[in-house]
Structure formats: C-alpha cells, structure tokens
Amino acid sequence: MRIGELAEATGTTPRALRHYEQQGLITSARAANGYRAYDTGTAVRVRNIRRLLEAGLTLDDVRAFLPCLDGDVTAGPASARALRVAGDRLAVLDARIRAQTAVRDRLAAALREAGDTVP
C-alpha cells in the first residue's frame, strides 16, 4: 500500500504518516522507485494512533501503547506504563480545563460588571 492509499484508508495525511514513521510508530519498506510501501496491517496501527491522539495523548504518550497498536487497542489489558501515561495525560487535561474555566468565569464576571448580559 502506498502512502496516499494508507492516508485515504485511515483518514489522515501523507505528512502525518511520514511524521509517525519518523517518530518510530510505523514502518515502511521502499519500493524500487523509492516510494514508501506499507503493509496492509499498518492501517490498523495508524487508526489506533489516531484514536489515542484524539483521546488527548501525545505521540510520546502513544509509545507506551506500542505493544497493542496492531490490534484492538481498547480490548487488550493495558500495561502499567500505559495506564500511568493515560492517567498523567488525564491530569494534564483536567488542569487545562480548570484553568480555562477560571478564565471564562473571570471574563463572564467582567462582562456582568460592565452591565452586559452573559449567557
């Protein structure tokens, strides 16, 4: 499977796939013409990487899940390291949400003080 085919099959971009490869998350062989050639199983891995990224993890975090990226990432038992990484990322997201909520509350209060109606 060539890079464009893999990108289309996984809903990502060739650029993202090259980045995942540079980060060591996926691999490819080189065809005689120099094009990247991916195994069909790589699509499962890329979909799992995207799921983890959409859940708020970073590419560095995804490395903790490498042993289970080629199957159903949600079905298998998570390693202690993967659980720790996910828990740490959740704590970061919770902190960001608290900070953004505080900013929103300050802005709403300022608007109320100015006599504007705030939803």
Side-chain angles (χ1 to χ4, degrees):
M1 173 179 306
R2 294 203 346 214
I3 195 166
E5 296 167 323
L6 181 59
E8 186 175 328
T10 58
T12 190
T13 64
R15 182 178 179 187
L17 294 173
R18 286 189 290 273
H19 186 65
Y20 298 165
E21 190 169 347
Q22 182 182 23
Q23 296 299 309
L25 298 173
I26 62 174
T27 59
S28 68
R30 291 291 180 156
N33 59 6
Y35 290 169
R36 287 175 168 87
Y38 295 95
D39 181 89
T40 55
T42 305
V44 171
R45 180 173 278 247
V46 170
R47 284 187 199 102
N48 282 326
I49 290 168
R50 291 180 50 79
R51 257 186 224 115
L52 293 170
L53 293 173
E54 289 167 2
L57 276 68
T58 66
L59 286 178
D60 284 337
D61 296 338
V62 169
R63 281 189 185 78
F65 294 85
L66 280 175
C68 58
L69 287 179
D70 294 325
D72 185 353
V73 77
T74 61
S79 69
R81 179 173 175 241
L83 290 172
R84 195 170 45 256
V85 165
D88 291 348
R89 185 58 49 204
L90 181 60
V92 167
L93 292 171
D94 284 341
R96 287 181 184 168
I97 289 168
R98 283 191 302 275
Q100 288 297 305
T101 300
V103 169
R104 188 241 178 251
D105 292 347
R106 286 192 302 273
L107 180 57
L111 287 171
R112 275 193 301 276
E113 287 175 18
D116 203 1
T117 342
V118 179

